[in-house]
Every structure is written in structure tokens, then in C-alpha cells.
Amino acid sequence: MSGKDQPYLSLQYGEEGEKAAVYDRRLKRPLCLPGKRETWNVRGKSAVLVCPVAMTAAEKCKAKDRSLAEGYAVRYMMSEAEAITRYHLFQNHGSLGTEFVKVINIHTYYTDLTLVRVQGDVVTPVLCQKIMTGGQQLTFNLTEYYMNKLRRVNGDIRGDHASIHMLRNMAEEAKLRVAGNRLPEDAFIFRSPKDHIKYRLRVFREDYEKMVGEIMETIFTYDAKLVEKSAAYGYPAPGTVLLAGGMSECQACVQKAERNYGSTRVIAYKGKSAALLGAAGWLAEKEGAYGMDRSAGQYVQYGTAL
């Protein structure tokens, strides 16, 4: 990777490990880096650290210390909600004027609901609600769905941890397959470590979308409380809902959100990349526009400083 052409880096420590993106000046857009860190040329590059919006000060210090110890030239920290909103701005070629945006960021084990104020190029999260349900809940529900099918054919695996672990991994794969296509059903062969019998397990799209709907309804219930809180503070209703996270790639998830928010525009982004890409694009614009304060011999701190 050429340091000359890709000087701006965004970094994220998440549930799925370390991820990063760069801004490519030749292509004039941010790009996600491959998963293997040894292929990244990071030393000396200006970096922004992307963190969950509800991260505590102690957790931020720990993440900052880790990034510096690993050789990143971290100059800024940015919340995921702000970074996703900035990616939305980047996709829309700049300012959206003055408005409020709601970010629903579905992680593996939890979901962040954040109300974000957009004033020109100033993006400020103003209210946040963290709820303990996320994409992994769909995997658990799907695993239970398959276990019920096995019990009906005398293939009960309750209490057998090896079998349950294998089935959960296969349910995770099935979840991603169903989210990525529109087939009426998905099926796979499961060979239980308990009895070594092969079973053909399938899930119908109707059942899958019902499980998705149950998780989204939980999110909407908590979001209704956030709406009440934002109204109490005098904030207007958001003009756009940004749906991010792994489940945002599921059409049923998007459709549920569209029905729930009615006339409010719902836009789905891939949450595993949107925050990183938004932060990398923001850093490129800031340091690309203002660059080095040559009189002081150091970078000027624009945006959210460490």
C-alpha cells in the first residue's frame, strides 16, 4: 500500500477485532483495508480512532493507549454515530443543511440509538440509548428454531454443548445467506456430534423474517422512549434514519424500519464499514484541506480532539 496515495487512516476496535480504512487520494474515496494487519502500512499516517458513542472516558483512554502502542498516529477520536453520519454526508456530497438524523447502529450484542444534530459540516450526537440486543440475538433465535426441528425428529441436542456450538455456527452462516438473497428457503446438512446422524435443516423466509421483525420491534420499543426524551428537550423529529450494522444488509430489517418510521426517509448502510469510511473521509477532508501548520511545525487539531 502506497503511503503517498493513502495517507489518512481510520481505526476501530470492535467485537470482531481490529478494523481499519484509508482515504485513497487517487480514487478520491475511502476504502476498507483487508483483515490482516501485517498488510497495513500504518506508521506515520494521521489516524482517527472510531469508538462506540456510549464509550466511557476510561475506555477511550484504554483504546487510545492501545492504538498508540501499536504504532498508529492517532490525532482524533470520533463516535461511530458521528462517523456514520459523516459517511452519509460524504455520500451526499457535503452538507445537508441544518437537520437532525437518527442513527440505529446494530452491533453483535447491542444496539446504539443516537440522535445526531447536523449543522453544516458540524455533526454532534445529542442523545443516545444503548440497548442489549443485537445481531447475535437473531443467531440465537435461529439456533433455537433448528433445535426445535431436531427435537421433532428425535434428534434432540439439548445439553450437548459440542452439537449446540456447531449448530450455532451453521445458523450464523445461514443467517447471512438468507439476508443476502431472496430465496423462499435456505437449507443445509447438519451432522450432530451427539449421534453422528445427518439432518437436513431448513428455514423458510417467512419464519426468518418473523424473527427479524421481533428483534426490530424490540429496538423500536426502546426508540419510542428516546423519541419522548428528545421531544422533552425540544429537539425536532429527525428527517432521516440511518440504519447501520450487520442486520442493515437484511431487506426484511430495512422494510421493518421503513414501515415503523412512515414518511421519514430510511437509508441502510453497511455498519461494518460505514463508520470507518466516514471517519477516513472526514480526516482526509480536514487534513487535506488544512494540512500542516508550518509555522508551528505540527498538525492543527480540527474536529474532535483527543
Side-chain angles (χ1 to χ4, degrees), residues 53-205:
V53 67
M55 179 176 274
T56 65
E59 290 170 335
K60 288 180 180 179
C61 287
K62 184 177 180 180
K64 175 190 172 184
D65 291 342
R66 174 181 172 181
S67 64
L68 294 175
E70 292 180 353
Y72 295 103
V74 174
R75 304 183 187 280
Y76 309 99
M77 296 185 81
M78 180 179 290
S79 72
E80 291 173 346
E82 178 182 345
I84 291 167
T85 303
R86 290 198 176 278
Y87 182 65
H88 179 60
L89 289 169
F90 188 85
Q91 295 295 98
N92 286 275
H93 309 290
S95 172
L96 300 179
T98 301
E99 66 171 35
F100 283 79
V101 173
K102 179 172 292 179
V103 178
I104 302 177
N105 193 9
I106 306 175
H107 291 270
T108 303
Y109 296 103
Y110 66 94
T111 297
D112 281 328
L113 304 171
T114 311
L115 184 66
V116 181
R117 179 193 283 124
V118 182
Q119 295 174 300
D121 62 352
V122 178
V123 177
T124 310
V126 293
L127 288 176
C128 178
Q129 173 74 48
K130 180 178 180 179
I131 62 175
M132 300 311 295
T133 189
Q136 192 65 22
Q137 186 62 50
L138 180 56
T139 301
F140 291 151
N141 293 351
L142 197 53
T143 302
E144 186 66 28
Y145 175 89
Y146 292 130
M147 288 177 66
N148 289 334
K149 284 180 173 288
L150 287 170
R151 283 199 292 271
R152 289 198 291 269
V153 293
N154 298 321
D156 194 351
I157 62 172
R158 287 176 298 180
D160 187 80
H161 298 296
S163 296
I164 294 173
H165 180 74
M166 177 182 290
L167 182 60
R168 186 174 296 148
N169 289 340
M170 299 182 81
E172 176 71 19
E173 294 173 0
K175 178 183 75 173
L176 299 176
R177 286 196 302 270
V178 180
N181 62 55
R182 296 298 302 168
L183 297 177
E185 66 178 62
D186 178 82
F188 60 87
I189 301 299
F190 172 69
R191 182 175 181 178
S192 171
K194 182 179 180 180
D195 56 22
H196 303 290
I197 298 174
K198 292 182 179 180
Y199 299 93
R200 183 175 184 271
L201 296 177
R202 61 179 178 172
V203 60
F204 295 99
R205 177 162 295 279

Side-chain angles (χ1 to χ4, degrees), residues 34-71:
K36 295 183 178 180
R37 187 184 190 280
E38 56 268 23
T39 64
W40 307 348
N41 178 19
V42 301
R43 291 194 176 276
K45 288 184 173 62
S46 298
V48 54
L49 182 60
V50 181
C51 304
V53 67
M55 179 176 274
T56 65
E59 290 170 335
K60 288 180 180 179
C61 287
K62 184 177 180 180
K64 175 190 172 184
D65 291 342
R66 174 181 172 181
S67 64
L68 294 175
E70 292 180 353

